[in-house]
């Protein structure tokens, strides 16, 4: 199968997956107790008032009708209107994608070179002190949950030493990059371990493989063998992990957003679910589903390019 | 998620204590008012919910912003009794059905004067039958078609029934005066101490000083509201110098920073009542003895000490401690295990298991339920704590179950009774429905005799104290943190006029 038809098939499948996710999310949110009117009424749950809110929001219309209407708007990129605030859902999405994308991009830009370098170094010096040190540090970082690491970093560097701003409250992320330092460290801590371990393992395997031995017998230079022949093969398994990490980052890492006050997709999701703001939740589901499908598709294509022998399973 | 979050909060407070242990104290608090500067105030927000329409205000941040940009005709004073604001004075007719209100000379931010027509239009908007604004239930007794603007600065309200507490309605949550015809609040125009500059939903609102404010221009040049949903984030932002004011902190945070020099803690007593609600219309609490047994089982000082970390006062099963009309002559109830056991036996409830519904909808409710269940051990009753969904909690417990956690912010005692304790009340959690009590309420709100009114409120409270369904065990302080150089913070209960009153605040 050639690359183009493979891509087309995967894209079509992706579309079906997005629709399935959106429908499932709709059903699940419907299954939650209470609706937007109940959530909005809060500690003033006068039944008469809830009924009025429900009517004002159009929640008294049949569920199916509202879902179909919402689906019909999708091809026009019309995500509907937030029940609670009356603002278009697209405003929420566009507003929140910015911070999430900035964090995800910067994390990936730092993550890839650092983790590949760490993995390659460890593999080249397999069993050495450096290898063991890199392994210990990355495994140690991996074992700390994000929120715990975030809390410690804020307490030490944000509050006690006052070197860095402890939160990003009210800040514009790009014009005040200092607020991004601590969140980036937290976001990098775990993926660095998982990816560098995979690169290391792949590299160790590749360096011990027949074709590397053959390349050596042919008298190719060691640098060329390592980086032009062994490394691409070693990266293929790591690419899938990078895809998972990207997906995780694009989903808005809720804990990191909450602790550092970054109003990204995770924050919008938490607020929307608590407020039973169904159109916003569905809009987010579309964004998450599309990004998951796209990221995995890209990852498969990249893996295919790096190591063409790899079987690509749809 | 919730488990992580709780663990994480606990961990933060522990760590902040540890990191601050080395700090001394020394900075002098701001004492002399000084003009100028920008104050950044961190509040919890709701992203999706945040709106600038003052009639839609629901969250604390929305209430605080509305207060900065708009005025009500009246607002609640420190004792939660109504004080004139945009209304200079109010004069009821002898039968209390017509109220003549004289407006203060005030202007909106766009220079237009505040007129009687604006008042009527604002109330008509709130009372629109197709909408569901929060202040609607309070204003619904206004007979709008028969109310009129006498002249530009005089409104005459006709009421559907005699109501001496009408000023409470004028002070209702969200009853703000907006310019006639205002529907678009993307750039709100009000008559408040600060005028609008910019808004980024879920992130910040920037306001600036209104030099024409009728009560005198504020001291601050600018006021910025920023959103930080996690309490630990608000605390850290304050400690890191990113904000000067952090709203709604936990007692634990207050305790760890009270003696430090990086944060000044402001406590507003009597801000939120903490309670358990028993439903009278169903078993087992249709039995008065059993209700009394529960009253006697509660060890209130222990609840205040453990759940509120000491940041509060014990309650006496009555709403509104320290408020106007509060019956403070009624003796404080104490724990009496022997009598409680006797009453439980008498009610034939020995060995009974009662479910106590609670949730994390308000801070401390689950903790209070757990502590209370523990206090009931050995009494013959077993209380089983059931943690429900927090987003639909209030609507669920209004209908279901027999015993539930309850809390409420400040409001006049009259409003508390009208909303929760009359046969037709919309949020009657305890299902307290007694014609003779309804009659007492009618008597209190329709007499212009101050002494009769006071006595009637006391009588209602005596009945509620003896056999009501609310076990009100404590009143939590409302806790706000500021940097030490911020002055002019009032400790009035949350939701009253002087709470979040940024026009009186300065940065020293």
């Amino acid at each position: 199968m050639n690359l183009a038809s493979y891509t087309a098939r995967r894209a079509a499948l992706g579309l079906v997956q997005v629709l399935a996710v959106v429908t499932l999310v709709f059903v699940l949110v419907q299954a939650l107790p209470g609706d937007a009117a109940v959530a909005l009424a809060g500690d003033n749950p006068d039944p008469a008032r809830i009924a009025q809110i429900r009517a004002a929001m159009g929640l008294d219309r049949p569920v199916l009708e509202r879902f179909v209407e919402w689906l019909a708007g999708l091809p026009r990129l019309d995500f509907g209107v937030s029940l609670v605030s009356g603002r278009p859902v697209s405003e929420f999405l566009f507003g929140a994608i910015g911070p999430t994308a900035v964090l995800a991009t910067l994390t990936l830009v730092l993550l890839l070179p650092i983790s590949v370098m760490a993995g390659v170094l460890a593999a080249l010096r397999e069993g050495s002190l450096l290898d063991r040190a890199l392994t210990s540090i990355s495994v140690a970082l991996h074992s700390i949950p994000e929120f715990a690491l975030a809390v410690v970093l804020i307490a030490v560097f944000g509050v006690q030493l006052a070197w860095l701003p402890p939160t990003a409250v009210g800040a514009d992320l790009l014009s005040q990059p200092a607020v991004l330092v601590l969140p980036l460290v937290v976001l990098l801590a775990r993926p660095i371990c998982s990816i560098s371990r995979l690169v290391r393992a792949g590299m160790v395997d590749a360096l011990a493989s027949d074709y590397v031995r053959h390349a050596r017998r042919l008298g190719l230079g060691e640098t060329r063998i390592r980086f032009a022949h062994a490394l691409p093969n070693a990266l293929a398994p790591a690419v899938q992990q990078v895809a998972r990490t990207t997906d995780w980052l694009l989903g808005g890492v809720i804990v990191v957003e909450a602790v550092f006050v970054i109003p990204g997709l995770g924050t919008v999701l938490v607020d929307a679910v608590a407020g039973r703001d169904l159109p916003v939740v569905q809009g987010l589901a579309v964004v998450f589903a599309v990004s998951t499908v796209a990221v995995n598709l890209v990852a498969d294509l990249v893996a295919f390019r790096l190591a063409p022998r790899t079987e690509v399973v749809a | 998620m919730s488990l992580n979050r709780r663990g994480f909060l606990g961990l933060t407070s522990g760590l902040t204590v540890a990191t601050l242990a080395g700090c001394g104290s020394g900075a002098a608090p701001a004492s002399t008012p000084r003009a100028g500067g920008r104050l950044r105030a961190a509040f919890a927000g709701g992203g999706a919910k945040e709106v600038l329409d003052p009639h839609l205000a629901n969250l604390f941040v929305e209430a605080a912003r509305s207060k900065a940009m708009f005025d009500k005709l009246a607002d609640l004073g420190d004792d939660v009794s109504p004080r004139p604001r945009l209304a200079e004075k109010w004069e009821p007719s002898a039968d209390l059905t017509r109220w003549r209100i004289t407006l203060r000379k005030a202007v909106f931010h766009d220079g237009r004067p505040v007129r009687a027509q604006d008042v009527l239009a604002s109330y008509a908007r709130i009372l629109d039958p197709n909408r569901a604004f929060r202040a609607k239930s309070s204003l619904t007794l206004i007979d709008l078609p028969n109310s009129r603007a006498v002249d530009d600065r005089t409104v005459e309200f006709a009421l559907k029934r005699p109501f001496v507490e009408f000023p409470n309605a004028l002070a209702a949550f969200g009853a703000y005066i907006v310019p006639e015809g205002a529907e678009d609040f993307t750039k709100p125009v009000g008559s408040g101490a600060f005028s609008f500059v910019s808004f980024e939903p879920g992130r910040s609102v920037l306001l600036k000083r209104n030099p024409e404010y009728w009560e005198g221009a504020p001291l601050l040049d600018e006021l910025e509201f920023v959103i930080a949903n996690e309490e630990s984030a608000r605390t850290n932002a304050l400690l890191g110098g990113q904000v000067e004011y952090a709203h709604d902190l936990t007692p634990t945070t207050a305790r760890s920073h009270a003696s430090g020099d990086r944060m000044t803690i402001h406590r507003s007593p009597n801000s939120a009542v903490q309670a358990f609600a028993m439903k009278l219309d169903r078993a087992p609490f249709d039995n008065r003895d059993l209700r009394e047994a529960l009253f006697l089982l509660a060890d209130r000082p222990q609840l205040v000490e453990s759940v509120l970390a000491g940041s509060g006062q014990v309650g006496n099963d009555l709403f509104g401690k320290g408020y106007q009309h509060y019956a403070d002559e009624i003796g404080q109830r104490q724990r009496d295990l022997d009598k409680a056991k006797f009453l439980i036996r008498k009610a034939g409830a020995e060995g009974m298991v009662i479910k106590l519904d609670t949730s994390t909808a308000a801070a401390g409710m689950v903790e209070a339920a757990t502590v209370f269940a523990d206090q009931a051990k050995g009494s013959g009753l077993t209380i089983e704590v059931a943690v429900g969904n927090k987003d639909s909690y209030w609507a669920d417990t209004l209908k279901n179950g027999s015993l539930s956690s309850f809390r409420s912010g400040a409001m006049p005692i009259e409003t508390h009774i009208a909303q929760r304790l009359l046969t037709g009340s919309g949020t009657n959690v305890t299902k307290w429905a007694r014609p003779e009590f309804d009659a007492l309420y009618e008597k209190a709100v329709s007499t212009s005799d101050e002494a009769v009114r006071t006595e009637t409120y006391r009588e209602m409270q005596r009945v509620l104290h003896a056999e009501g369904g609310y076990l009100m065990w404590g009143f939590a302080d409302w806790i706000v943190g500021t940097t030490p150089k911020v002055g002019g913070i009032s400790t009035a209960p949350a939701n009253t006029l002087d709470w979040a009153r940024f026009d009186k605040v300065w940065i020293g």
Side-chain angles (χ1 to χ4, degrees):
Chain A
M1 191 183 351
N2 68 26
L3 207 61
S5 75
Y6 170 72
T7 311
R9 220 185 60 187
R10 281 292 304 270
L13 184 70
L15 195 68
V16 175
Q17 287 169 328
V18 171
L19 279 179
V21 167
V22 168
T23 312
L24 190 68
V25 166
F26 183 83
V27 172
L28 288 176
V29 178
Q30 284 294 328
L32 282 175
D35 60 12
V38 168
L40 187 67
D43 62 352
N44 184 12
D46 184 341
R49 181 160 178 264
I50 290 179
Q52 282 171 350
I53 300 177
R54 215 166 258 158
M57 287 178 169
L59 286 174
D60 45 358
R61 289 161 51 217
V63 174
L64 202 64
E65 187 186 313
R66 283 185 281 131
F67 184 56
V68 169
E69 188 184 293
W70 182 83
L71 271 187
L74 269 193
R76 290 176 275 120
L77 284 182
D78 173 6
F79 291 93
V81 168
S82 152
L83 288 176
V84 182
S85 69
R87 289 201 301 266
V89 172
S90 48
E91 246 179 57
F92 286 87
L93 301 183
F94 291 133
I97 282 174
T100 298
V102 166
L103 270 188
T105 311
L106 289 177
T107 307
L108 287 173
V109 164
L110 294 169
L111 172 66
L112 295 180
I114 295 177
S115 53
V116 169
M117 213 150 60
V120 169
L121 275 179
L124 293 180
R125 308 260 183 284
E126 193 190 349
S128 71
L129 194 66
L130 178 73
D131 181 22
R132 275 176 289 162
L134 282 172
T135 304
S136 318
I137 293 172
S138 61
V139 169
L141 278 178
H142 194 260
S143 60
I144 309 175
E146 288 99 29
F147 68 87
L149 184 60
V151 163
V152 174
L153 290 178
I154 291 175
V156 176
F157 297 102
V159 174
Q160 180 64 5
L161 299 172
W163 288 353
L164 291 162
T167 70
V169 69
D172 182 57
L173 299 186
L174 290 176
S175 61
Q176 289 154 271
V179 301
L180 289 169
V181 175
L182 293 179
L184 282 176
V185 171
V186 174
L187 287 174
L188 282 169
R190 302 187 73 176
I192 280 187
C193 170
S194 53
I195 293 169
S196 68
R197 298 302 295 160
L198 281 171
V199 172
R200 179 189 174 279
M203 197 70 182
V204 167
D205 279 355
L207 287 174
S209 69
D210 290 342
Y211 67 87
V212 165
R213 270 202 300 278
H214 186 63
R216 286 206 178 106
R217 277 198 297 273
L218 290 177
L220 296 183
E222 192 60 19
T223 314
R224 185 166 161 205
I225 292 174
R226 283 174 183 172
F227 293 100
H229 296 281
L231 185 58
N233 281 286
L235 286 182
V239 168
Q240 297 301 331
Q241 185 60 32
V242 173
R244 272 192 286 276
T245 304
T246 310
D247 199 30
W248 172 70
L249 291 168
L250 288 178
V253 182
I254 293 172
V255 173
V256 172
E257 288 189 4
V259 179
F260 291 105
V261 200
I262 296 169
L265 291 171
T267 307
V268 174
L269 179 66
V270 170
D271 288 341
V273 170
R276 303 287 186 270
D277 201 339
L278 202 53
V280 178
V281 177
Q282 282 169 259
L284 286 165
V286 173
V287 171
F288 293 154
V290 168
S291 66
T292 304
V293 168
V295 164
N296 281 293
L297 177 58
V298 171
D300 285 346
L301 296 177
V302 169
F304 192 78
R305 278 294 304 140
L306 283 174
R309 285 162 302 119
T310 319
E311 193 74 15
V312 183
V313 187
Chain B
M1 177 71 202
S2 77
L3 194 84
N4 275 352
R5 197 180 273 207
R6 205 168 311 146
F8 142 72
L9 287 175
L11 190 55
T12 342
S13 43
L15 267 164
T16 3
V17 177
T19 51
L20 283 175
C23 302
S25 60
S31 49
T32 38
R34 206 180 71 86
R38 176 194 285 197
L39 181 111
R40 292 163 298 179
F43 280 74
K49 281 182 248 180
E50 275 193 275
V51 283
L52 292 179
D53 182 341
H55 296 159
L56 280 174
N58 210 14
L59 308 169
F60 280 113
V61 64
E62 293 165 341
R65 286 192 312 223
S66 302
K67 168 182 290 184
M69 287 187 282
F70 297 89
D71 282 307
K72 296 189 251 188
L73 292 185
D75 212 333
L76 300 170
D78 292 6
D79 66 346
V80 198
S81 67
R83 302 286 155 82
R85 297 294 295 162
L86 268 187
E88 206 163 51
K89 56 177 179 177
W90 43 68
E91 297 151 295
S93 62
D95 67 351
L96 300 173
T97 59
R98 294 195 82 80
W99 287 71
R100 181 177 279 254
I101 286 166
T102 311
L103 298 181
R104 211 173 277 283
K105 222 175 148 170
V107 288
F108 287 114
H109 301 145
D110 58 5
R112 283 182 289 167
V114 178
R115 301 159 309 139
Q117 285 82 349
D118 298 310
V119 171
L120 288 171
S122 300
Y123 283 14
R125 183 170 189 261
I126 294 170
L127 289 168
D128 184 340
N130 297 318
R131 306 223 202 173
F133 293 121
R134 196 177 172 122
K136 194 174 183 173
S137 60
S138 307
L139 297 181
T140 190
L141 85 166
I142 299 176
D143 176 5
L144 215 49
N146 289 316
S147 303
R148 63 191 181 105
V150 177
D151 58 42
D152 268 0
R153 284 181 49 208
T154 315
V155 194
E156 194 177 76
F157 284 110
L159 304 189
K160 293 172 183 164
R161 55 187 168 85
F163 189 55
V164 72
E165 307 280 27
F166 185 53
N168 282 347
L170 305 179
F173 194 94
Y176 290 96
I177 306 304
V178 300
E180 186 177 8
E183 268 305 330
D184 178 11
F185 289 92
T186 48
K187 290 192 173 94
V189 170
S191 59
F194 292 90
S195 62
F196 177 79
V197 177
S198 64
F199 176 39
E200 285 179 77
R203 193 175 304 179
S204 77
V205 168
L206 182 63
L207 309 178
K208 68 170 194 289
R209 180 173 179 269
N210 170 14
E212 307 299 322
Y213 191 48
W214 59 266
E215 210 184 9
L219 292 159
L220 298 169
D221 285 336
E222 288 179 309
L223 172 61
E224 186 181 14
F225 289 92
V226 293
I227 300 297
N229 288 328
E230 293 290 342
E231 190 258 356
S232 66
R234 295 195 290 278
T235 308
N236 289 328
L238 185 70
L239 292 172
Q242 296 182 299
V243 298
E244 285 77 34
Y245 178 102
H247 183 250
D248 190 9
L249 303 182
T250 60
T252 327
T253 304
R255 196 179 262 190
S256 25
H257 295 287
S259 55
D261 60 351
R262 299 178 74 167
M263 189 192 282
T264 309
I265 298 292
H266 307 266
R267 294 166 194 270
S268 302
N270 297 338
S271 284
V273 68
Q274 311 285 319
F276 300 109
M278 302 175 266
K279 287 190 170 45
L280 273 72
D281 65 341
R282 61 196 74 172
F285 295 111
D286 49 355
N287 185 321
R288 182 188 161 169
D289 290 333
L290 203 60
R291 295 200 296 277
E292 195 181 347
L294 246 63
F295 286 145
L296 295 171
L297 277 178
D299 182 342
R300 295 147 210 262
Q302 189 189 53
L303 280 162
V304 170
E305 200 43 53
S306 56
V307 178
L308 305 180
S311 290
Q313 292 165 280
V314 294
N316 194 26
D317 302 323
L318 291 172
F319 182 83
K321 190 169 194 165
Y323 302 177
Q324 187 189 27
H325 301 309
Y326 181 76
D328 43 15
E329 76 280 6
I330 299 177
Q332 173 63 47
R333 210 168 240 143
Q334 313 280 353
R335 176 172 160 97
D336 185 342
L337 186 59
D338 290 335
K339 191 167 178 207
K341 276 184 185 166
F342 165 76
L343 288 166
I344 289 167
R345 265 202 309 279
K346 187 176 161 209
E350 235 171 340
M352 187 183 277
V353 179
I354 297 172
K355 186 163 69 90
L356 167 51
D357 289 305
T358 189
S359 82
T360 52
M365 288 205 311
V366 175
E367 292 80 352
T370 315
V371 171
F372 184 57
D374 201 52
Q375 292 175 353
K377 278 183 186 149
S379 67
L381 279 184
T382 305
I383 292 181
E384 243 179 35
V385 177
V387 181
N389 185 289
K390 74 174 169 55
D391 304 317
S392 56
Y393 176 77
W394 302 109
D396 292 344
T397 53
L398 181 60
K399 287 196 299 271
N400 311 323
S402 58
L403 179 63
S404 59
S405 293
F406 181 85
R407 58 117 256 160
S408 164
M411 60 177 78
I413 289 175
E414 178 275 317
T415 311
H416 163 71
I417 294 173
Q419 290 188 357
R420 299 171 180 150
L421 293 164
L422 302 181
T423 309
S425 294
T427 52
N428 193 338
V429 185
T430 58
K431 309 295 175 195
W432 173 267
R434 298 194 172 184
E436 65 277 14
F437 187 87
D438 296 354
L440 280 177
Y441 171 79
E442 277 312 315
K443 181 176 160 192
V445 299
S446 54
T447 175
S448 48
D449 185 332
E450 186 75 42
V452 171
R453 187 155 84 243
T454 305
E455 176 45 34
T456 316
Y457 278 122
R458 305 256 149 158
E459 197 180 336
M460 283 190 270
Q461 292 179 71
R462 281 196 290 274
V463 182
L464 289 171
H465 183 260
E467 46 186 308
Y470 281 116
L471 192 177
M472 299 202 169
W473 56 263
F475 293 88
D477 294 345
W478 198 257
I479 302 170
V480 163
T482 64
T483 51
K485 58 185 183 173
V486 173
I489 303 279
S490 152
T491 54
N495 281 349
T496 62
L497 172 64
D498 285 336
W499 161 81
R501 185 82 197 277
F502 292 108
D503 53 321
K504 301 288 181 207
V505 170
W506 69 86
I507 301 178

